[in-house]
């Protein structure tokens, strides 16, 4: 066995949303230990400039590398959009983002080549999802929209009922008018609202969860590099830069279970 195989997978996000990626990775790879880092002191990333996002992403990545991880997952869609190539150039471990897996899954799912993408302002502004989808289907029609209100709804637990449904109607109406058949949930918070989004979008629209697609890429990367951990049980560590109690309380919604002990860390 590769001596590095027993090391943990590192996952970072600007806050709690990346726990949906943690959940999918743990579900797909139940023997793997995971160190999750949420930069809760500087959340959100989606409204910040590209330069700031890159600076924050580099700090998060290098902090996890110092914890001796074997693979890094950039769970934040905005950080994936702006910083992935930079991190891959700087680090000597595999780096997986969430944009490319989601885009590929969307390209595989569509039947009519009309695809919608929803995400934060930063993710949509970057154009990375649009470009990635077009690299697979050059003649596709990609419609993208920032849906910032979905984030506080998810964090407050307002994932069903008339309020999130009405907001979903407002956000998705133009997608439906453009006859999309696939919709990418391009933010780690959005899977929590999958029921409402699916209800508004209708049965004819396939919803693409980037977190699930990313977990498959992580599994393939570990296998190709002979880095799978064959022995359990796994350990899960949770690190944040602010408000660990709040992270633990809200995080249970995203993780699908109790978060457990959360460690506060400080770094520049």
């Amino acid at each position: 066995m590769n001596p590095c195989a027993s090391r943990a997978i590192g996952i970072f996000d600007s806050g709690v949303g990346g726990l949906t990626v943690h959940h999918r990775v743990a579900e797909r790879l139940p023997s793997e230990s995971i160190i999750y880092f949420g930069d809760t002191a500087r959340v959100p990333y989606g409204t910040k400039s590209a330069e700031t996002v890159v600076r924050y992403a580099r700090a998060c990545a290098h902090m996890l590398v110092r914890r001796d991880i074997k693979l890094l997952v950039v769970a934040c869609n905005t950080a994936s959009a702006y910083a992935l190539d930079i991190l891959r150039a700087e680090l000597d471990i595999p780096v997986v983002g969430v944009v490319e897996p989601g885009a590929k899954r969307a390209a595989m799912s569509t039947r009519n080549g009309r695809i919608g993408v929803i995400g934060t302002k930063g993710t949509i502004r970057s154009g990375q999802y649009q470009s990635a989808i077009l690299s697979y289907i050059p003649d596709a029609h990609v419609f993208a929209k920032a849906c910032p209100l979905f984030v506080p709804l998810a964090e407050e637990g307002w994932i069903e009922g008339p309020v999130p449904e009405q907001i979903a109607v407002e956000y998705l109406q133009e997608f439906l008018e453009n006859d999309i058949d696939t919709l990418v949930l391009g933010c780690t918070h959005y899977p929590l609202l999958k029921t409402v989004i699916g209800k508004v979008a209708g049965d004819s629209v396939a919803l693409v969860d980037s977190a699930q697609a990313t977990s498959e890429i992580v599994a393939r990367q570990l296998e190709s590099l002979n880095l799978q951990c064959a022995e359990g049980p796994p350990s899960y560590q949770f690190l944040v830069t602010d408000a660990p109690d709040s992270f633990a309380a809200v995080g249970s919604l995203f993780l699908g279970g109790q978060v457990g002990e959360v460690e506060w860390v400080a770094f520049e």
Side-chain angles (χ1 to χ4, degrees):
M1 184 178 72
N2 189 319
C4 297
S6 61
R7 296 177 182 175
I9 295 168
I11 301 176
F12 83 80
D13 184 48
S14 59
V16 297
L19 289 174
T20 56
V21 178
H22 183 297
H23 177 64
R24 291 297 189 180
V25 171
E27 184 178 65
R28 177 65 178 80
L29 299 164
S31 295
E32 298 290 347
S33 295
I34 300 172
I35 303 175
Y36 180 93
F37 179 62
D39 190 11
T40 47
R42 301 189 290 198
V43 67
Y45 285 7
T47 58
K48 294 178 171 61
S49 69
E51 293 78 12
T52 296
V53 171
V54 168
R55 179 159 50 89
Y56 289 177
R58 292 178 71 203
C60 293
H62 286 279
M63 191 281 296
L64 282 171
V65 167
R66 289 195 294 273
R67 298 261 174 161
D68 206 26
I69 60 173
K70 63 182 177 183
L71 179 145
L72 176 68
V73 180
V74 183
C76 174
N77 280 266
T78 305
S80 288
Y82 288 123
L84 192 66
D85 289 342
I86 293 171
L87 296 180
R88 283 175 171 165
E90 290 184 354
L91 304 179
D92 59 1
I93 59 172
V95 181
V96 176
V98 290
V99 172
E100 183 67 27
K104 184 176 182 179
R105 181 67 60 86
M108 295 170 61
S109 298
T110 188
R111 302 174 304 280
N112 66 4
R114 303 179 73 82
I115 300 169
V117 179
I118 55 177
T120 66
K121 291 179 180 178
T123 298
I124 299 304
R125 185 172 60 243
S126 75
Q128 290 296 309
Y129 267 109
Q130 300 92 308
S131 297
I133 291 170
L134 291 171
S135 72
Y136 291 108
I137 310 177
D139 59 349
H141 297 277
V142 184
F143 308 92
K145 186 179 183 68
C147 302
L149 290 179
F150 281 159
V151 171
L153 285 174
E155 292 193 358
E156 290 296 327
W158 285 33
I159 56 177
E160 294 184 87
V163 173
E165 188 171 327
Q166 184 57 45
I167 292 173
V169 168
E170 292 293 326
Y171 279 149
L172 302 182
Q173 187 59 43
E174 65 182 82
F175 290 112
L176 303 180
E177 291 172 356
N178 281 296
D179 195 30
I180 66 165
D181 74 347
T182 302
L183 180 64
V184 180
L185 307 182
C187 173
T188 51
H189 285 70
Y190 296 177
L192 269 70
L193 293 152
K194 198 171 185 177
T195 299
V196 164
I197 293 171
K199 180 179 179 181
V200 173
D203 294 338
S204 63
V205 178
L207 302 184
V208 173
D209 180 353
S210 293
Q212 186 171 14
T214 299
S215 71
E216 295 297 330
I217 299 297
V218 171
R220 288 202 290 271
Q221 284 261 23
L222 293 180
E223 182 179 6
S224 68
L225 296 169
N226 193 28
L227 284 172
Q228 313 104 306
C229 182
E231 301 176 1
S235 67
Y236 300 136
Q237 299 178 54
F238 301 94
L239 318 173
V240 296
T241 51
D242 192 32
D245 291 342
S246 176
F247 176 89
V250 177
S252 61
L253 295 171
F254 292 79
L255 195 61
Q258 292 300 311
V259 171
E261 184 177 351
V262 180
E263 178 185 347
W264 177 83
V265 297
F267 76 100
E268 293 298 331

